[in-house]
Amino acid sequence: MRAKEKMFAACIECFGQVNDLKQNFSEKISEKTAIPEELISDAALMQVRGKRSVCIENHRGVKVYEQEHIQIAVKRGCIHIYGFALTIARMTKKTVEIRGRLQRLELE
């Protein structure tokens, strides 16, 4: 390997280690202080309100929007909502609220 390639490979390895440290840091702070990780990092927070509504904070957009299936992107994967007559009741930059007859929620 040439010098530039070695330096590039080292940078990529270092970047991966920094990402791991950031994830572990918020988890450790959460454990030590009893503050939910969702408040410290941008991890998703899902609130289910009965069988009619679900609110997801810290989302990263809507990937699938159908009457019986809505898929929401979050930091560590996706949340799938299945049901009947599903609609997005409100959506802001950080929060999305889905209403309808909820049947099943899946975390990916």
Side-chain angles (χ1 to χ4, degrees):
M1 253 190 217
R2 294 185 297 197
K4 285 184 180 180
E5 291 172 348
K6 286 182 182 179
M7 189 168 63
F8 183 71
C11 285
I12 289 191
E13 182 179 338
C14 181
F15 181 73
Q17 291 172 352
V18 168
N19 274 346
D20 291 343
L21 285 173
K22 283 171 59 179
Q23 286 179 358
N24 291 337
F25 178 76
S26 62
E27 289 172 9
K28 287 181 182 180
I29 293 293
S30 174
E31 288 173 8
K32 300 285 185 194
T33 61
I35 297 173
E37 184 182 353
E38 295 82 16
L39 296 177
I40 298 169
S41 70
D42 57 350
L45 173 64
M46 185 168 54
Q47 220 178 21
V48 180
R49 299 177 186 132
K51 293 184 179 182
R52 293 287 185 184
S53 174
V54 61
C55 187
I56 301 166
E57 293 181 29
N58 299 324
H59 71 90
R60 295 198 170 180
V62 177
K63 295 185 91 178
V64 174
Y65 183 53
E66 300 169 352
Q67 282 191 338
E68 296 180 351
H69 174 225
I70 296 177
Q71 180 180 351
I72 306 293
V74 293
K75 183 177 181 178
R76 295 183 184 162
C78 289
I79 298 173
H80 296 267
I81 299 105
Y82 295 94
F84 299 100
L86 298 177
T87 61
I88 295 177
R90 70 184 167 92
M91 184 172 175
T92 66
K93 195 173 184 180
K94 292 187 74 167
T95 306
V96 61
E97 182 179 355
I98 297 162
R99 291 187 185 155
R101 280 187 39 215
L102 303 178
Q103 274 192 321
R104 183 172 86 235
L105 302 173
E106 291 181 5
L107 305 176
E108 180 183 299

